[in-house]
Amino acid sequence: MHSVREGILDGTGADAAGLTLSTPPPHRRRDSSALAMKSSLPSPVETLRWLKHMAWPKNAPDSPRQQLRSTAYLDGLRGFAAFLVYVHHNELWVHAATNDEFPIFEKGYGVDGNYRFVTAPVIRTFFTGGHIAVATFYVISGYVLSAKPLSQIHNGDYLKLYDSLASSFFRRWFRLWLPLIITTIIWVMSWHIFGYWVQCCKVKPTIGEELWNWYVEMKNLSFLFKEGSQIWVSFNTHLWSIPLEMRGSIITFCACLSLARATIKARLVCEVVLIIYFMYIVDGYYGALFISGMLQCDLDQLARRSSEGNTYFPGFLRSLENHKTTIFYTLFGLGMLIAGVPTDSQEIKNLRAAPGWYYLSFLKPQAVFDYKWFYLFFAANMLVASIPRIRLLKAFFESRFCQFLGRISFSLYLVHGPLLGAVGDRIFHAVGWVRSFDDSDKMLVNWVNLFPLPKIGPMGLELAFLLPQIFFLPFTLWVADVTTRAVDEPSVRFAAWLFKRIQGGTPPAPKQEESTLPLRRLA
């Protein structure tokens, strides 16, 4: 894996490839500002070397693998979830060409007499797992965002806690929206710069109109308190989950701040109450998912500390210690079953028509409008809680491939839709996945059946679907990797740099006589 270093973006140090940039030595800094600025810029050769690294990075052949963090499995799980989103959207895109097959993916197994392999319980998650992937994203985010604040709360480091939350609040918007802004503006301008046509978006007549439409939609997307239900942009509808990611992040930060000085028992109770409020009283499923991730993180940290005998841990959970293997294997199995909840509509009557879901349908709270998120809440929490307790699963998500997916997961989520519309659509038409044409998509006629492939095999695993993935999947992963190193990671560094700049540097440490011992309230 490639380390993230300060470098080419700030004009000092070394970039991620280890290329030293030309920074003027101390004895030359008395030159004129113009000469100093010129000498600080990378040379054309260094720029070309950086661009080459962006396109195709290389690790030293004898470099050892970096030590994994204790939560590395969460990175791998997030990456694999992003991969499931990619598979889900590719399956739906291809089978949208046949209108009678498209709804089968989202319906329950056996509905309308369709007993397809890809819709079978558990199996369906690997083909239409995009929804459980988003729910898993939110649980993981709640866990990760609260990890450091909860550790500081447990240690009684309240001054550090407030500084940490201030930094997280400030940097979060930039971390999420800068990659969105950069990737979407490149996407909408590419139609006019390269002169190609896409079916997934309505192309404006001029680049000026395109940029104005981009501005209007993006500014609305960035406003978290926007009224109405539409929280997506027309040129990349997959971005609807990002505003909810930001809302859930704010909920998590506020919960950490407001419960910082609560007793452990009170904090755990408040976290459970917040989950009930978001899921059962109001339709705020994303808030429930984030707080449940925070609750899992809180319990995990308390469990580690209680093993040393210096903190409180719920007794009823400790009494289940001897049965944890059975419990977590069972939770994983149930989570995989529930993760396959039918999602063809938001009507509860359609859920009751699916085999095995009739009685479960009566558990849906009145507050939940889209029923799938109620069941995905439990499924995602079961999966996140059980995976680190099942050795083989944890090892899988800590593997190099899953860790790579975890590193590029955000960029993969951002770019797979545009690539599907610009490249995948043409590839799938060329191999025989043809939909009915109208005047708006007649430009694809020339791509139809250029290299027709047989559609043999089970639905979702047809040869005509799998063979194009030999090219399209690696290409998508490559673009996501380039986007991670050229856009995502610099955005993270920029947000940290900007926060440090507005803070005026690192504040001085308090004097010894002003410091106080941390206060700990256990119960």
Side-chain angles (χ1 to χ4, degrees):
M1 308 304 294
H2 305 283
S3 60
V4 180
R5 303 176 185 174
E6 296 293 331
I8 197 166
L9 295 178
D10 59 6
T12 60
D15 66 358
L19 305 179
T20 302
L21 303 182
S22 55
T23 303
H27 68 275
R28 295 180 59 190
R29 291 178 185 171
R30 290 187 294 270
D31 297 343
S32 64
S33 59
L35 290 176
M37 181 179 297
K38 182 178 180 181
S39 63
S40 66
L41 294 175
S43 66
V45 174
E46 290 169 332
T47 302
L48 290 175
R49 291 170 65 189
W50 177 78
L51 291 174
K52 178 182 177 182
H53 169 71
M54 285 290 105
W56 200 263
K58 291 184 179 180
N59 275 333
D62 57 347
S63 61
R65 187 182 181 188
Q66 294 181 354
Q67 178 113 16
L68 295 176
R69 302 190 306 270
S70 60
T71 56
Y73 70 92
L74 290 176
D75 298 331
L77 178 58
R78 181 175 61 245
F80 193 77
F83 175 70
L84 289 182
V85 173
Y86 166 88
V87 174
H88 188 172
H89 289 153
N90 272 258
E91 292 282 9
L92 294 185
W93 189 285
V94 166
H95 293 88
T98 308
N99 293 329
D100 58 340
E101 287 186 347
F102 180 81
I104 297 177
F105 277 89
E106 303 282 355
K107 291 184 177 181
Y109 182 71
V111 173
D112 299 330
N114 291 308
Y115 296 91
R116 304 298 182 95
F117 173 74
V118 296
T119 64
V122 180
I123 299 298
R124 65 185 295 119
T125 303
F126 297 98
F127 294 89
T128 55
H131 303 299
I132 184 59
V134 173
T136 304
F137 290 155
Y138 292 164
V139 176
I140 293 175
S141 293
Y143 191 108
V144 173
L145 293 177
S146 63
K148 185 176 180 180
L150 285 174
S151 177
Q152 293 165 337
I153 290 172
H154 294 154
N155 291 330
D157 297 332
Y158 299 116
L159 292 179
K160 291 182 179 179
L161 169 69
Y162 300 145
D163 289 340
S164 175
L165 287 176
S167 174
S168 298
F169 262 116
F170 181 90
R171 292 182 291 112
R172 190 61 174 164
W173 189 93
F174 293 96
R175 192 268 173 276
L176 292 176
W177 255 268
L178 281 182
L180 261 71
I181 291 172
I182 296 171
T183 55
T184 54
I185 197 170
I186 292 175
W187 170 227
V188 301
M189 291 179 64
S190 67
W191 312 331
H192 299 272
I193 294 175
F194 298 106
Y196 67 91
W197 176 91
V198 289
Q199 181 272 338
C200 59
C201 309
K202 186 176 181 181
V203 179
K204 304 301 179 184
T206 65
I207 193 170
E209 293 178 76
E210 199 74 70
L211 290 176
W212 176 252
N213 179 72
W214 171 86
Y215 165 74
V216 171
E217 294 198 27
M218 285 300 295
K219 73 179 180 66
N220 291 336
L221 184 75
S222 68
F223 184 48
L224 301 181
F225 305 101
K226 177 180 178 294
E227 297 181 358
S229 58
Q230 185 173 352
I231 53 172
W232 60 79
V233 288
S234 61
F235 37 81
N236 193 349
T237 56
H238 302 154
L239 303 183
W240 64 268
S241 65
I242 305 303
L244 300 185
E245 176 81 24
M246 187 65 195
R247 294 180 190 179
S249 301
I250 293 177
I251 291 171
T252 303
F253 295 146
C254 289
C256 291
L257 180 63
S258 59
L259 300 176
R261 292 184 177 271
T263 65
I264 292 178
K265 290 181 181 179
R267 186 175 65 250
L268 294 177
V269 170
C270 288
E271 289 166 0
V272 173
V273 170
L274 282 173
I275 293 173
I276 294 173
Y277 171 76
F278 284 121
M279 183 56 71
Y280 287 88
I281 299 177
V282 298
D283 192 9
Y285 66 89
Y286 53 89
L289 287 164
F290 269 83
I291 296 299
S292 65
M294 176 182 173
L295 176 60
Q296 288 201 39
C297 183
D298 206 348
L299 291 173
D300 284 348
Q301 293 191 16
L302 289 174
R304 287 192 292 268
R305 291 171 178 268
S306 66
S307 63
E308 302 172 0
N310 59 356
T311 193
Y312 164 82
F313 187 79
F316 78 95
L317 292 178
R318 182 64 70 193
S319 64
L320 301 174
E321 182 77 17
N322 294 332
H323 310 284
K324 64 179 182 180
T325 301
T326 302
I327 290 173
F328 286 116
Y329 273 89
T330 303
L331 285 178
F332 179 75
L334 289 175
M336 289 297 294
L337 284 171
I338 301 175
V341 57
T343 56
D344 59 302
S345 74
Q346 298 171 345
E347 297 291 334
I348 197 66
K349 64 180 181 180
N350 292 334
L351 177 63
R352 290 173 183 166
W357 287 94
Y358 179 81
Y359 293 106
L360 290 175
S361 67
F362 292 98
L363 298 177
K364 184 195 81 72
Q366 178 275 332
V368 178
F369 174 72
D370 191 348
Y371 64 78
K372 68 173 176 286
W373 296 112
F374 172 73
Y375 301 98
L376 294 176
F377 165 81
F378 291 99
N381 276 281
M382 290 175 181
L383 296 177
V384 173
S386 59
I387 284 173
R389 279 88 182 180
I390 301 176
R391 183 178 302 176
L392 289 177
L393 287 175
K394 185 179 181 183
F396 170 74
F397 290 112
E398 290 179 343
S399 65
R400 286 182 180 270
F401 177 67
C402 286
Q403 291 298 299
F404 168 74
L405 289 178
R407 187 176 68 83
I408 68 168
S409 58
F410 189 41
S411 295
L412 177 60
Y413 190 81
L414 297 182
V415 305
H416 80 279
L419 291 178
L420 187 56
V423 180
D425 202 21
R426 287 161 169 77
I427 294 175
F428 293 135
H429 274 83
V431 299
W433 297 101
V434 183
R435 60 176 175 267
S436 58
F437 291 103
D438 53 31
D439 292 338
S440 64
D441 54 10
K442 60 184 179 181
M443 297 295 291
L444 282 179
V445 171
N446 295 331
W447 287 84
V448 172
N449 290 323
L450 287 179
F451 308 100
L453 295 175
K455 298 184 179 66
I456 58 175
M459 187 179 73
L461 289 172
E462 301 92 344
L463 188 64
F465 175 76
L466 295 178
L467 285 183
Q469 295 298 331
I470 296 176
F471 162 78
F472 188 54
L473 175 58
F475 175 72
T476 304
L477 296 179
W478 173 74
V479 174
D481 184 40
V482 172
T483 305
T484 297
R485 287 177 284 108
V487 178
D488 188 23
E489 292 172 352
S491 297
V492 175
R493 294 196 295 267
F494 172 79
W497 170 85
L498 184 60
F499 180 74
K500 185 177 180 180
R501 291 288 294 177
I502 68 169
Q503 295 295 306
T506 305
K511 297 180 180 179
Q512 185 67 29
E513 59 269 21
E514 294 178 353
S515 62
T516 58
L517 293 176
L519 301 177
R520 299 184 65 195
R521 304 177 65 185
L522 301 182

